[in-house]
Amino acid sequence: MKRHFILLSSVVLFACAPTQQEKPKPAEAPKPPPPQAKAEEKKHTFEEDIKQDEAQKLCSNPQGTVSADMVAKFLEEQKRLIKYPPNGKLMGDWKKGEQLFVNTRKGNCYACHCADPKELACGNIGPTLRYYGKRQNNVKYTYEKIYNSWAYVPCSIMYRAGVHGILTPEEIADIVAYLHSPESPVNK
Amino acid sequence: MRRLWLLPLLMGAVGGIVFYALAQQEDPAQEVKKQKEMLLKETGILPGDVYAEQGRDLFNKPMGSAGKSCSSCHGQDGRYLKGAYAHMPRYYKDADAVLDLDTRIKYCMEKYMGVKDVKHDTNFKSIATFVATLSNGMKMDVRLEHPKEKEMYQKGKELWYARVGKMDFSCAICHDTFGGQRIRLQTLARIKQDKVATHWPAYRFSNDQLWTMEDRIRGCYSQIRVTPPPHFHWAHIALSLYMAHEANGGVIETPGFVR
């Protein structure tokens, strides 16, 4: 009787749990697929992936930055890595920019920044971008900061999306438009 | 296997609660507390403790070609392993190497029990969790005495601060510099203040899985788009040693209960 009750209650509980996949008991559980496994990452090894470029090496210390006498040279070298869209337009399509902004494999900006007030699950590591376009920010600065944040703040936590090819110059221009355009929900 | 009949019930309950929590979008710190209380109220036991109980059974069960169980050497229910985890990772003379919890268990299973092809599966993690619970209530006390321990600690420290990969992240940038702040709604653990090593292995209610520190390290690397080191890799031992040393003085409380 007791056992029947347990079986029945677990069935009922499963029915209430649409986000949960049924798993066999751990006693005979096959190994669940590692949540980390991503097809595209399989091509590399850990050793290959932790090889650092010169700038990363300079930033790898408990202070989390470069020494004062190195700053000017560091910023200058990082600035040289920035490439611009062939058409020269630093502001693209804000609607495309919005998609890139939220895409976790692209901008993933909400991980650290708040922006559109409708998005509540936003991080607080970076400053809020609400009304960014109304704050007299320079378009070229915005573009360069997204392309390579280390050209402005050595060793910033903000990843160098353009340098690493996570975002193309055109895609960055779209995000710039999303931040600056008066029509964008960021500024409304 | 005394409490195993509880598992299907537990999993259903967890699923329901996770769904409820996602729908509510509560404050993350409160969420953990609430989840724990609700699970305890509904089932009387946390899933991590069920895994640890299962680990106890497996610990006492002979496996491998030598016909031995873990308890053949370490005593019934691991009574000679009390406090062992408080000093781990550490140097082991028989292996002539520094080993973390996972690697030590694998070494024992292969060398002394004759188990072939040890997998980092739920059974394995349950044993690891059980061994860790034998040090509950004790203070983390990792010493860097042997030269190989010092060397491994240094490697761990270097990895900790190394800015790597497409996202230029290091462990430190999230868990020192910005520790305590949020990525999305997830609060970042702080390596020193939170003494993180004291509550791993842990049960994660967000994906309903038991994770050892090796799984946690793999998860972190994956999130920063770096191919994670395979299980039992030196990087796990090095980083675990660094983190355990940072957690010295913290009271061990495993299995942890985390998001």
Side-chain angles (χ1 to χ4, degrees), chain B residues 105-147:
Chain B
I105 293 171
K106 178 178 184 264
Y107 186 85
C108 273
M109 287 172 90
E110 284 176 348
K111 184 162 185 197
Y112 301 117
M113 294 159 73
V115 179
K116 288 210 170 60
D117 194 21
V118 174
K119 288 198 175 61
H120 202 273
D121 56 11
T122 308
N123 283 350
F124 181 90
K125 289 185 274 185
S126 299
I127 296 174
T129 304
F130 170 66
V131 172
T133 61
L134 296 172
S135 302
N136 275 353
M138 297 178 191
K139 280 187 178 164
M140 191 58 92
D141 181 21
V142 169
R143 291 168 208 165
L144 308 174
E145 282 161 357
H146 194 277

Short mmCIF file of all heavy atoms in Angstrom, two decimals, chain B residues 105-147:
data_model
loop_
_atom_site.label_atom_id
_atom_site.label_comp_id
_atom_site.label_asym_id
_atom_site.label_seq_id
_atom_site.Cartn_x
_atom_site.Cartn_y
_atom_site.Cartn_z
N ILE B 105 40.44 8.64 -5.22
CA ILE B 105 39.51 7.51 -5.24
C ILE B 105 39.76 6.65 -6.48
O ILE B 105 39.79 5.42 -6.41
CB ILE B 105 38.05 8.01 -5.17
CG1 ILE B 105 37.80 8.64 -3.80
CG2 ILE B 105 37.06 6.88 -5.43
CD1 ILE B 105 36.48 9.36 -3.68
N LYS B 106 39.99 7.31 -7.61
CA LYS B 106 40.27 6.56 -8.84
C LYS B 106 41.54 5.72 -8.67
O LYS B 106 41.59 4.55 -9.06
CB LYS B 106 40.44 7.54 -10.00
CG LYS B 106 40.77 6.87 -11.33
CD LYS B 106 40.87 7.92 -12.43
CE LYS B 106 41.10 7.30 -13.79
NZ LYS B 106 42.50 7.25 -14.17
N TYR B 107 42.55 6.33 -8.06
CA TYR B 107 43.83 5.63 -7.86
C TYR B 107 43.62 4.38 -7.02
O TYR B 107 44.11 3.30 -7.35
CB TYR B 107 44.82 6.59 -7.18
CG TYR B 107 46.22 6.02 -7.05
CD1 TYR B 107 47.12 6.13 -8.11
CD2 TYR B 107 46.62 5.36 -5.89
CE1 TYR B 107 48.40 5.60 -8.00
CE2 TYR B 107 47.89 4.83 -5.78
CZ TYR B 107 48.78 4.96 -6.84
OH TYR B 107 50.04 4.42 -6.74
N CYS B 108 42.88 4.52 -5.92
CA CYS B 108 42.59 3.37 -5.05
C CYS B 108 41.84 2.29 -5.80
O CYS B 108 42.17 1.11 -5.71
CB CYS B 108 41.73 3.81 -3.85
SG CYS B 108 42.70 4.41 -2.47
N MET B 109 40.81 2.70 -6.52
CA MET B 109 39.98 1.72 -7.22
C MET B 109 40.80 0.94 -8.24
O MET B 109 40.66 -0.28 -8.36
CB MET B 109 38.80 2.42 -7.91
CG MET B 109 37.73 2.90 -6.94
SD MET B 109 36.48 3.94 -7.74
CE MET B 109 35.30 2.70 -8.21
N GLU B 110 41.67 1.64 -8.94
CA GLU B 110 42.45 0.97 -9.98
C GLU B 110 43.57 0.12 -9.38
O GLU B 110 43.75 -1.04 -9.73
CB GLU B 110 43.03 2.00 -10.96
CG GLU B 110 41.98 2.51 -11.92
CD GLU B 110 42.48 3.61 -12.84
OE1 GLU B 110 43.58 4.15 -12.60
OE2 GLU B 110 41.75 3.93 -13.80
N LYS B 111 44.32 0.72 -8.46
CA LYS B 111 45.52 0.04 -7.98
C LYS B 111 45.22 -1.05 -6.97
O LYS B 111 45.80 -2.14 -7.04
CB LYS B 111 46.47 1.07 -7.37
CG LYS B 111 47.78 0.40 -6.96
CD LYS B 111 48.90 1.36 -6.75
CE LYS B 111 50.18 0.57 -6.48
NZ LYS B 111 51.23 1.37 -5.89
N TYR B 112 44.33 -0.77 -6.03
CA TYR B 112 44.14 -1.73 -4.92
C TYR B 112 42.91 -2.61 -5.09
O TYR B 112 42.83 -3.68 -4.52
CB TYR B 112 44.08 -0.98 -3.59
CG TYR B 112 45.33 -0.18 -3.33
CD1 TYR B 112 45.29 1.20 -3.21
CD2 TYR B 112 46.58 -0.82 -3.23
CE1 TYR B 112 46.45 1.94 -3.00
CE2 TYR B 112 47.73 -0.09 -3.02
CZ TYR B 112 47.67 1.29 -2.90
OH TYR B 112 48.81 2.02 -2.70
N MET B 113 41.92 -2.12 -5.84
CA MET B 113 40.69 -2.91 -5.98
C MET B 113 40.61 -3.60 -7.33
O MET B 113 39.76 -4.48 -7.53
CB MET B 113 39.47 -2.01 -5.76
CG MET B 113 39.38 -1.48 -4.33
SD MET B 113 38.35 -0.01 -4.18
CE MET B 113 36.73 -0.71 -4.41
N GLY B 114 41.46 -3.20 -8.25
CA GLY B 114 41.46 -3.83 -9.57
C GLY B 114 40.26 -3.47 -10.42
O GLY B 114 39.81 -4.25 -11.25
N VAL B 115 39.74 -2.26 -10.22
CA VAL B 115 38.63 -1.80 -11.07
C VAL B 115 39.23 -1.24 -12.36
O VAL B 115 40.17 -0.44 -12.31
CB VAL B 115 37.78 -0.72 -10.37
CG1 VAL B 115 36.66 -0.24 -11.27
CG2 VAL B 115 37.24 -1.24 -9.05
N LYS B 116 38.70 -1.68 -13.48
CA LYS B 116 39.24 -1.18 -14.76
C LYS B 116 38.36 -0.05 -15.28
O LYS B 116 37.15 -0.07 -15.11
CB LYS B 116 39.28 -2.32 -15.78
CG LYS B 116 40.37 -3.32 -15.45
CD LYS B 116 40.93 -4.01 -16.70
CE LYS B 116 42.17 -4.80 -16.36
NZ LYS B 116 41.92 -5.87 -15.36
N ASP B 117 39.00 0.92 -15.93
CA ASP B 117 38.28 1.97 -16.63
C ASP B 117 37.29 2.70 -15.71
O ASP B 117 36.08 2.68 -15.92
CB ASP B 117 37.54 1.35 -17.83
CG ASP B 117 37.04 2.41 -18.80
OD1 ASP B 117 37.60 3.52 -18.76
OD2 ASP B 117 36.10 2.12 -19.56
N VAL B 118 37.82 3.32 -14.66
CA VAL B 118 36.98 4.04 -13.69
C VAL B 118 36.34 5.26 -14.36
O VAL B 118 37.02 6.06 -14.98
CB VAL B 118 37.81 4.49 -12.47
CG1 VAL B 118 36.99 5.35 -11.54
CG2 VAL B 118 38.37 3.28 -11.74
N LYS B 119 35.02 5.32 -14.24
CA LYS B 119 34.30 6.43 -14.86
C LYS B 119 33.84 7.43 -13.80
O LYS B 119 33.50 7.05 -12.69
CB LYS B 119 33.09 5.91 -15.64
CG LYS B 119 33.49 5.19 -16.90
CD LYS B 119 32.30 5.07 -17.85
CE LYS B 119 32.71 4.46 -19.17
NZ LYS B 119 33.25 3.08 -19.02
N HIS B 120 33.80 8.69 -14.20
CA HIS B 120 33.35 9.75 -13.29
C HIS B 120 31.83 9.84 -13.39
O HIS B 120 31.28 10.85 -13.82
CB HIS B 120 34.01 11.07 -13.70
CG HIS B 120 34.07 12.07 -12.60
ND1 HIS B 120 33.04 12.94 -12.33
CD2 HIS B 120 35.01 12.33 -11.66
CE1 HIS B 120 33.37 13.70 -11.30
NE2 HIS B 120 34.56 13.36 -10.88
N ASP B 121 31.14 8.77 -12.97
CA ASP B 121 29.68 8.74 -13.08
C ASP B 121 29.03 8.99 -11.71
O ASP B 121 29.72 9.31 -10.74
CB ASP B 121 29.22 7.40 -13.67
CG ASP B 121 29.73 6.21 -12.85
OD1 ASP B 121 30.25 6.44 -11.73
OD2 ASP B 121 29.62 5.08 -13.32
N THR B 122 27.72 8.87 -11.68
CA THR B 122 27.01 9.19 -10.44
C THR B 122 27.45 8.30 -9.28
O THR B 122 27.58 8.77 -8.15
CB THR B 122 25.49 9.05 -10.65
OG1 THR B 122 25.14 9.82 -11.80
CG2 THR B 122 24.72 9.57 -9.47
N ASN B 123 27.69 7.01 -9.56
CA ASN B 123 28.15 6.13 -8.49
C ASN B 123 29.49 6.60 -7.94
O ASN B 123 29.71 6.65 -6.73
CB ASN B 123 28.30 4.69 -9.02
CG ASN B 123 26.95 4.01 -9.15
OD1 ASN B 123 25.94 4.53 -8.68
ND2 ASN B 123 26.93 2.86 -9.79
N PHE B 124 30.39 6.94 -8.86
CA PHE B 124 31.71 7.43 -8.45
C PHE B 124 31.57 8.69 -7.60
O PHE B 124 32.18 8.82 -6.53
CB PHE B 124 32.55 7.72 -9.70
CG PHE B 124 33.94 8.19 -9.39
CD1 PHE B 124 34.99 7.30 -9.24
CD2 PHE B 124 34.20 9.55 -9.21
CE1 PHE B 124 36.27 7.73 -8.93
CE2 PHE B 124 35.48 9.99 -8.90
CZ PHE B 124 36.51 9.08 -8.76
N LYS B 125 30.74 9.61 -8.08
CA LYS B 125 30.57 10.88 -7.36
C LYS B 125 29.91 10.67 -5.99
O LYS B 125 30.18 11.40 -5.05
CB LYS B 125 29.75 11.85 -8.21
CG LYS B 125 30.53 12.37 -9.41
CD LYS B 125 29.76 13.42 -10.17
CE LYS B 125 28.83 12.82 -11.18
NZ LYS B 125 28.17 13.83 -12.02
N SER B 126 29.05 9.64 -5.91
CA SER B 126 28.40 9.34 -4.63
C SER B 126 29.44 8.87 -3.62
O SER B 126 29.38 9.25 -2.44
CB SER B 126 27.34 8.26 -4.81
OG SER B 126 26.34 8.70 -5.70
N ILE B 127 30.38 8.04 -4.07
CA ILE B 127 31.44 7.59 -3.17
C ILE B 127 32.27 8.80 -2.71
O ILE B 127 32.55 8.96 -1.52
CB ILE B 127 32.35 6.54 -3.86
CG1 ILE B 127 31.54 5.28 -4.20
CG2 ILE B 127 33.54 6.18 -2.96
CD1 ILE B 127 32.31 4.24 -5.00
N ALA B 128 32.63 9.66 -3.66
CA ALA B 128 33.42 10.85 -3.33
C ALA B 128 32.68 11.71 -2.31
O ALA B 128 33.27 12.20 -1.34
CB ALA B 128 33.70 11.66 -4.60
N THR B 129 31.38 11.86 -2.53
CA THR B 129 30.57 12.67 -1.61
C THR B 129 30.56 12.04 -0.22
O THR B 129 30.75 12.74 0.78
CB THR B 129 29.13 12.79 -2.14
OG1 THR B 129 29.19 13.33 -3.47
CG2 THR B 129 28.29 13.69 -1.26
N PHE B 130 30.37 10.72 -0.19
CA PHE B 130 30.36 10.04 1.12
C PHE B 130 31.69 10.26 1.85
O PHE B 130 31.71 10.58 3.04
CB PHE B 130 30.08 8.54 0.94
CG PHE B 130 30.29 7.77 2.21
CD1 PHE B 130 29.46 7.98 3.31
CD2 PHE B 130 31.34 6.88 2.32
CE1 PHE B 130 29.67 7.29 4.49
CE2 PHE B 130 31.56 6.19 3.51
CZ PHE B 130 30.72 6.40 4.60
N VAL B 131 32.80 10.10 1.14
CA VAL B 131 34.12 10.29 1.76
C VAL B 131 34.25 11.71 2.31
O VAL B 131 34.75 11.92 3.42
CB VAL B 131 35.26 9.96 0.77
CG1 VAL B 131 36.61 10.34 1.35
CG2 VAL B 131 35.23 8.48 0.41
N ALA B 132 33.77 12.69 1.55
CA ALA B 132 33.84 14.08 2.01
C ALA B 132 33.01 14.28 3.28
O ALA B 132 33.44 14.99 4.20
CB ALA B 132 33.38 15.03 0.91
N THR B 133 31.84 13.63 3.34
CA THR B 133 30.97 13.83 4.52
C THR B 133 31.64 13.33 5.81
O THR B 133 31.27 13.76 6.89
CB THR B 133 29.61 13.12 4.38
OG1 THR B 133 29.84 11.70 4.27
CG2 THR B 133 28.83 13.61 3.18
N LEU B 134 32.62 12.43 5.67
CA LEU B 134 33.29 11.90 6.87
C LEU B 134 34.12 12.98 7.57
O LEU B 134 34.62 12.76 8.67
CB LEU B 134 34.19 10.73 6.50
CG LEU B 134 33.47 9.48 5.93
CD1 LEU B 134 34.46 8.47 5.41
CD2 LEU B 134 32.58 8.86 7.01
N SER B 135 34.30 14.12 6.91
CA SER B 135 35.03 15.24 7.53
C SER B 135 34.10 16.39 7.90
O SER B 135 34.58 17.48 8.25
CB SER B 135 36.12 15.74 6.58
OG SER B 135 37.01 14.69 6.27
N ASN B 136 32.82 16.17 7.81
CA ASN B 136 31.88 17.25 8.14
C ASN B 136 32.07 17.73 9.58
O ASN B 136 32.33 16.94 10.48
CB ASN B 136 30.43 16.77 7.95
CG ASN B 136 29.98 16.91 6.51
OD1 ASN B 136 30.68 17.48 5.68
ND2 ASN B 136 28.80 16.38 6.21
N GLY B 137 31.97 19.05 9.73
CA GLY B 137 32.12 19.64 11.05
C GLY B 137 33.56 19.96 11.39
O GLY B 137 33.84 20.67 12.36
N MET B 138 34.50 19.42 10.58
CA MET B 138 35.92 19.73 10.85
C MET B 138 36.34 20.93 10.03
O MET B 138 35.70 21.29 9.05
CB MET B 138 36.78 18.52 10.46
CG MET B 138 36.44 17.31 11.29
SD MET B 138 37.42 15.90 10.77
CE MET B 138 36.60 14.60 11.67
N LYS B 139 37.46 21.52 10.43
CA LYS B 139 37.94 22.70 9.71
C LYS B 139 38.87 22.30 8.58
O LYS B 139 39.70 21.40 8.75
CB LYS B 139 38.67 23.63 10.66
CG LYS B 139 37.71 24.46 11.47
CD LYS B 139 38.42 25.50 12.31
CE LYS B 139 37.40 26.34 13.05
NZ LYS B 139 37.98 27.09 14.14
N MET B 140 38.71 22.95 7.45
CA MET B 140 39.61 22.71 6.31
C MET B 140 41.03 23.07 6.75
O MET B 140 41.25 24.13 7.34
CB MET B 140 39.15 23.58 5.14
CG MET B 140 39.80 23.27 3.82
SD MET B 140 39.57 21.57 3.26
CE MET B 140 38.09 21.68 2.27
N ASP B 141 41.94 22.15 6.52
CA ASP B 141 43.30 22.33 7.01
C ASP B 141 44.29 21.73 6.01
O ASP B 141 44.84 20.66 6.21
CB ASP B 141 43.42 21.65 8.39
CG ASP B 141 44.80 21.82 9.00
OD1 ASP B 141 45.52 22.75 8.58
OD2 ASP B 141 45.15 21.02 9.88
N VAL B 142 44.46 22.44 4.90
CA VAL B 142 45.37 21.98 3.85
C VAL B 142 46.73 22.60 4.09
O VAL B 142 46.85 23.82 4.25
CB VAL B 142 44.83 22.37 2.46
CG1 VAL B 142 45.87 22.15 1.39
CG2 VAL B 142 43.57 21.57 2.16
N ARG B 143 47.75 21.74 4.17
CA ARG B 143 49.10 22.25 4.43
C ARG B 143 49.96 22.06 3.19
O ARG B 143 49.82 21.08 2.48
CB ARG B 143 49.72 21.50 5.59
CG ARG B 143 49.02 21.83 6.90
CD ARG B 143 49.44 20.87 7.98
NE ARG B 143 48.37 20.73 8.96
CZ ARG B 143 48.33 19.76 9.84
NH1 ARG B 143 49.26 18.83 9.88
NH2 ARG B 143 47.33 19.71 10.71
N LEU B 144 50.82 23.00 2.98
CA LEU B 144 51.72 22.88 1.83
C LEU B 144 53.10 22.53 2.37
O LEU B 144 53.93 23.41 2.59
CB LEU B 144 51.74 24.20 1.05
CG LEU B 144 50.36 24.73 0.65
CD1 LEU B 144 50.48 26.11 0.01
CD2 LEU B 144 49.67 23.77 -0.31
N GLU B 145 53.31 21.25 2.64
CA GLU B 145 54.57 20.83 3.25
C GLU B 145 55.50 20.17 2.24
O GLU B 145 56.65 20.55 2.10
CB GLU B 145 54.29 19.88 4.42
CG GLU B 145 53.84 20.66 5.66
CD GLU B 145 53.11 19.81 6.68
OE1 GLU B 145 52.90 18.61 6.42
OE2 GLU B 145 52.74 20.36 7.73
N HIS B 146 54.98 19.20 1.52
CA HIS B 146 55.80 18.49 0.54
C HIS B 146 56.11 19.41 -0.65
O HIS B 146 55.26 20.19 -1.06
CB HIS B 146 55.06 17.23 0.07
CG HIS B 146 55.93 16.28 -0.67
ND1 HIS B 146 56.22 16.42 -2.01
CD2 HIS B 146 56.60 15.18 -0.26
CE1 HIS B 146 57.02 15.45 -2.39
NE2 HIS B 146 57.27 14.68 -1.33
N PRO B 147 57.33 19.30 -1.21
CA PRO B 147 57.67 20.14 -2.38
C PRO B 147 56.66 20.00 -3.52
O PRO B 147 56.35 20.99 -4.20
CB PRO B 147 59.04 19.61 -2.81
CG PRO B 147 59.60 18.91 -1.63
CD PRO B 147 58.47 18.47 -0.77
#
